Amino acid sequence: ALLWYWGEIISLIFLSEAALIHARAPGGPKGEGSQNELNSFLWTIKRDPPSYFFGTIHVPYTRVWDFIPENSKKAFQQSHIVYFELDLTDPYTISALTSCQLLPQGKNLQDVLPRDIYHQRGKGLYADYLFNAIAGNWEQKRPVWVMLMVNSLTEVDIKSRGVPVLDLFLAQEAERLRKQTGAVEKVEEQCHPLNGLNFSQVVFALNQTLLQQESLRAGSFQIPYTTEDLIKHYNCGDLSSIIFNHDTSQVPNFINATLPAHERITAQEIDSYFRQELIYKRNERMGRRVKDLLEQHPDKSFFFAFGAGM
């Protein structure tokens, strides 16, 4: 479940631009492509003591840790309090993430999905494959969460299961270092927007995801931006790359020119809904809470680790 929570650098609407500076990696060789010359994903809030925002990426930490500049690691070490989107070390978080994905008790997907979608088969993408690949109770999940699960059925994602994502690794490190930790969001605030899609939108999204995955396996479709691309750009410090537009909520993009007009409208409605709920409303809510924390603890240095994709 931890692979499914999403993140963006929050809009710091309550902090003046003058109070926030982008911290570059420390000086080093000037040659093109030098890691020391690349931007880190670290911002410093100028106060005494300073606080920090660090942009994470939701991939196994082993794929990115060696590329994170020392200034970011030093800021983490020196901070008094570390805050994340969710409290990833709290058993309740895991339990609540699981619960919000499930259908009402006694129901399964066969009860709620159209028969043709439930039995959709193609190039190995069918119920048994999903079960064997994920080994989860997929038939009890809400369709929107099955859609997200199917979207993660890639070789890279399956091979990396069991390795903590960067956010979880930082949470474990903070715990090991006996730092005070916290979260600016509740599980329900992340789950409810996804569960808020209406049934026709969910069916459309799931069907499009299945069709995309079947086309991928048939070799007739290629995803423009893969997880590997995202890791590469993150490790290169490429914050401005358009690729980060595709790291929002692990939700696939359904808008394409081949869709019939009425389906294009549905795809645009879904995109607009997620953008409003998972970026704009969420950023404002998180910004208010960050501001409150900084004001309540003026003598403490905070390290806020949130997702870097916007």
Side-chain angles (χ1 to χ4, degrees), residues 4 7 12 90 99 128 163 189 197 217 220 232 283 300:
W4 291 124
L12 301 173
D90 183 357
S99 297
D128 291 341
V163 180
E189 291 170 337
L197 286 178
R217 284 155 177 76
S220 58
K232 176 184 175 182
N283 287 354
K300 298 293 184 181

Side-chain angles (χ1 to χ4, degrees), residues 154-165:
T154 66
E155 182 179 356
V156 172
D157 288 332
I158 292 173
K159 281 183 176 179
S160 65
R161 286 180 181 275
V163 180
V165 293

Side-chain angles (χ1 to χ4, degrees), residues 63-90:
R63 302 294 310 279
V64 298
W65 186 248
D66 290 344
F67 295 89
I68 294 173
E70 286 302 316
N71 64 339
S72 300
K73 295 176 180 178
K74 185 177 179 181
F76 174 77
Q77 292 277 347
Q78 293 180 345
S79 296
H80 302 117
I81 306 172
V82 183
Y83 260 71
F84 301 92
E85 296 168 19
L86 293 176
D87 186 351
L88 304 179
T89 60
D90 183 357

Side-chain angles (χ1 to χ4, degrees), residues 238-281:
D238 190 3
L239 182 66
S240 62
S241 171
I242 191 173
I243 198 169
F244 277 95
N245 289 330
H246 298 265
D247 187 36
T248 302
S249 75
Q250 301 283 353
V251 177
N253 181 15
F254 303 119
I255 301 175
N256 66 75
T258 65
L259 290 174
H262 69 284
E263 291 189 353
R264 258 201 319 273
I265 292 173
T266 300
Q268 289 166 348
E269 288 173 348
I270 293 173
D271 181 76
S272 176
Y273 173 81
F274 281 137
R275 192 170 297 276
Q276 185 68 28
E277 295 294 328
L278 301 182
I279 299 181
Y280 303 138
K281 288 184 180 179

Side-chain angles (χ1 to χ4, degrees), residues 161-269:
R161 286 180 181 275
V163 180
V165 293
L166 179 58
D167 310 73
L168 178 56
F169 172 73
L170 289 174
Q172 292 170 339
E173 279 294 288
E175 199 171 59
R176 183 180 68 82
L177 296 171
R178 301 185 182 280
K179 293 181 180 291
Q180 182 180 337
T181 61
V184 295
E185 286 191 293
K186 300 174 184 177
V187 171
E188 293 77 12
E189 291 170 337
Q190 290 204 359
C191 284
H192 288 172
L194 278 171
N195 291 344
L197 286 178
N198 66 47
F199 185 70
S200 63
Q201 290 171 330
V202 170
V203 170
F204 169 81
L206 178 56
N207 192 44
Q208 288 299 310
T209 298
L210 290 169
L211 291 173
Q212 282 184 11
Q213 293 297 325
E214 288 176 353
S215 297
L216 277 172
R217 284 155 177 76
S220 58
F221 176 74
Q222 186 173 358
I223 295 176
Y225 301 98
T226 67
T227 300
E228 288 299 308
D229 294 326
L230 193 65
I231 291 171
K232 176 184 175 182
H233 282 263
Y234 184 83
N235 287 342
C236 288
D238 190 3
L239 182 66
S240 62
S241 171
I242 191 173
I243 198 169
F244 277 95
N245 289 330
H246 298 265
D247 187 36
T248 302
S249 75
Q250 301 283 353
V251 177
N253 181 15
F254 303 119
I255 301 175
N256 66 75
T258 65
L259 290 174
H262 69 284
E263 291 189 353
R264 258 201 319 273
I265 292 173
T266 300
Q268 289 166 348
E269 288 173 348

